[in-house]
Amino acid sequence: MEDKACLTLAIESSCDETSAAVLSGGRIILSNVISTQIPVHQKFGGVVPEIASRKHIANIMPVIDEALRQAQVSLTDINQIGVTYGPGLVGALLVGVSAAKALAFSLDIPLIGVNHLEGHIFANFLAHPELKPPFVALVVSGGHTSLVHVKDYNTFYLIGQTRDDAAGEAFDKVARVMGLPYPGGPQIDKLAKLGNADAIAFPQALSGKGNFEFSFSGLKSAVLNYLHNAEQKGEIVNKADVAASFQKAVIAVLIDKALQAVENAGLTKLVLAGGVAANSALEKQLKASTEAAGVEFYYPNMILCTDNAAMIGCRAYYQSLMGDFANLYLNAIPNLKLTDKE
Ligand code: KG4
Ligand code: ZN
């Protein structure tokens, strides 16, 4: 039974967003404050871990205070605290984990350690109050590309994942070589709208039936080679065509494998999660192909796609229903896996 009187304070600091949220029950967002560090890291072309940690330290308490203020609650009203403890940058994670432990200890309330990837999937429960498992989730973020069978709120099977680069990582690297600012995903998304997606045939690795692993490093190298060759020959590159053709190759593989995974699992629902879920072409094409295949398709709105604490709070709430609490020895686990849970 959903306990709407239960107030969860959630904290997220795994990468370059310091975020805190207050949830009433599992699915009602009272506040979701996100302080992004993107402008700070932009001049370096990517996230600088040491700077990220320092910014999290400066931001964490003001962000928590603001989340409580917007939710119109005080710390003593909070019933439990959820925090991302991995995967992510160790120094960044430690800031959130330490703050959460200190608050849980001083308020004498339960602490819940949340896997960031599970949080991304659970963003969909916030965006779609009617959504229930079972479904297949396609998690595409800056660090991960995975297909997950979500059997119920606490049972997950990893169907397949990337062998090398994550989809978001490929977007960011290709954008960087094209001289576009960090993070590259939204830039490529925008530029691709002006280009011809059929202009260049970039490779679509591991495509074919029954293979649920991804690989994007070959595609990334193919794009870099294309750009370097053109540069050496003194040819002018149509960057919009490169962006559109690259994006097409990523999207084709994601959609093909996601639909196969839904069919293979004997399910009828597909859920999109992670920062790359904000990609407009991916959403549009997944909408069309799921509709053609008779599959229900869910994705979160933009704010809930990228890193935010509300999704962590949602996951934490469902863990609390199972008694899945952490103790004060909770540590950051930078390479935390989305392991099969039963
Ligand atoms: O989930 P997220 O906020 O952080 C991680 O957990 O990694 O994802 C960030 C990633 C970045 O690689 C960013 O370039 C990508 O999501 N991204 C996009 C778009 N918006 C963000 N990729 C493609 N198209 C977008 N519109
Ligand atoms: Zn993320």
Side-chain angles (χ1 to χ4, degrees), residues 2 22 32 35 47 50 55 64 70 84 102-103 131 164 166 175 189 202 245 293 307 332:
E2 173 103 17
V22 178
N32 188 21
S35 165
V47 178
E50 180 60 26
K55 287 279 165 196
I64 291 172
Q70 287 186 16
T84 304
L103 287 170
L131 176 64
D164 39 56
D189 190 350
F202 286 128
S245 302
D307 292 349

Side-chain angles (χ1 to χ4, degrees), residues 99-113:
K101 287 202 289 192
L103 287 170
F105 176 68
S106 57
L107 297 166
D108 195 20
I109 55 176
L111 176 69
I112 304 145

Side-chain angles (χ1 to χ4, degrees), residues 7 46 55 60-61 79 83 101 107 113 117-118 124-125 143 168 182 193 220 251 284 287 306 308 311 317 322 334:
L7 291 182
K55 287 279 165 196
I60 192 99
M61 291 321 290
N79 301 104
V83 64
K101 287 202 289 192
L107 297 166
L117 296 178
E118 294 175 6
N124 280 281
F125 292 127
Y182 173 83
K193 291 197 173 99
K220 180 191 66 191
I251 290 176
K284 199 168 146 211
K287 232 186 246 174
T306 45
N308 68 89
M311 66 185 196
Y317 174 80
M322 298 292 293

Side-chain angles (χ1 to χ4, degrees), residues 12 14-17 38 87-88 116-117 120 139-144 166-173 175 181-190 193 246-247 273-283 302 304-308 311:
E12 154 66 38
S14 65
C15 190
D16 57 352
E17 253 88 40
I38 286 176
H116 181 80
L117 296 178
H120 271 303
V139 188
V140 269
S141 72
H144 299 270
E169 201 178 345
F171 269 99
D172 293 341
K173 283 185 187 160
Y182 173 83
Q187 304 288 331
I188 300 255
D189 190 350
K190 230 191 283 170
K193 291 197 173 99
F246 158 75
Q247 186 173 271
V276 183
N279 185 272
S280 55
L282 177 61
E283 276 174 12
M302 190 77 106
L304 293 173
C305 277
T306 45
D307 292 349
N308 68 89
M311 66 185 196

Side-chain angles (χ1 to χ4, degrees), residues 19 57 76 115 142 149 171 318:
S19 181
I57 291 171
T76 47
N115 179 315
H149 180 165
F171 269 99
Y318 284 98

Side-chain angles (χ1 to χ4, degrees), residues 194-209:
L194 311 171
N196 172 10
D198 297 317
I200 312 146
F202 286 128
Q204 296 173 15
L206 306 178
S207 51
K209 264 203 135 13

Side-chain angles (χ1 to χ4, degrees), residues 207-323:
S207 51
K209 264 203 135 13
N211 186 332
F212 298 110
E213 288 198 306
F214 300 90
S215 168
F216 293 108
S217 76
L219 168 61
K220 180 191 66 191
S221 305
V223 178
L224 303 197
N225 287 341
Y226 178 89
L227 293 168
H228 289 150
N229 281 341
E231 192 179 275
Q232 276 169 357
K233 290 184 198 150
E235 290 171 4
I236 294 176
V237 167
N238 182 331
K239 285 189 181 172
D241 283 354
V242 176
S245 302
F246 158 75
Q247 186 173 271
K248 181 187 169 184
V250 176
I251 290 176
V253 178
L254 292 176
I255 294 182
D256 178 43
K257 288 180 190 283
L259 286 177
Q260 277 194 57
V262 174
E263 194 190 345
N264 202 49
L267 297 175
T268 53
K269 282 184 210 166
L270 178 67
V271 163
L272 185 59
V276 183
N279 185 272
S280 55
L282 177 61
E283 276 174 12
K284 199 168 146 211
Q285 290 176 36
L286 258 178
K287 232 186 246 174
S289 23
T290 46
E291 203 179 311
V295 169
E296 287 172 52
F297 173 49
Y298 299 86
Y299 60 94
N301 57 42
M302 190 77 106
I303 289 292
L304 293 173
C305 277
T306 45
D307 292 349
N308 68 89
M311 66 185 196
I312 302 303
C314 179
R315 177 68 195 118
Y317 174 80
Y318 284 98
Q319 284 178 245
S320 73
L321 294 185
M322 298 292 293

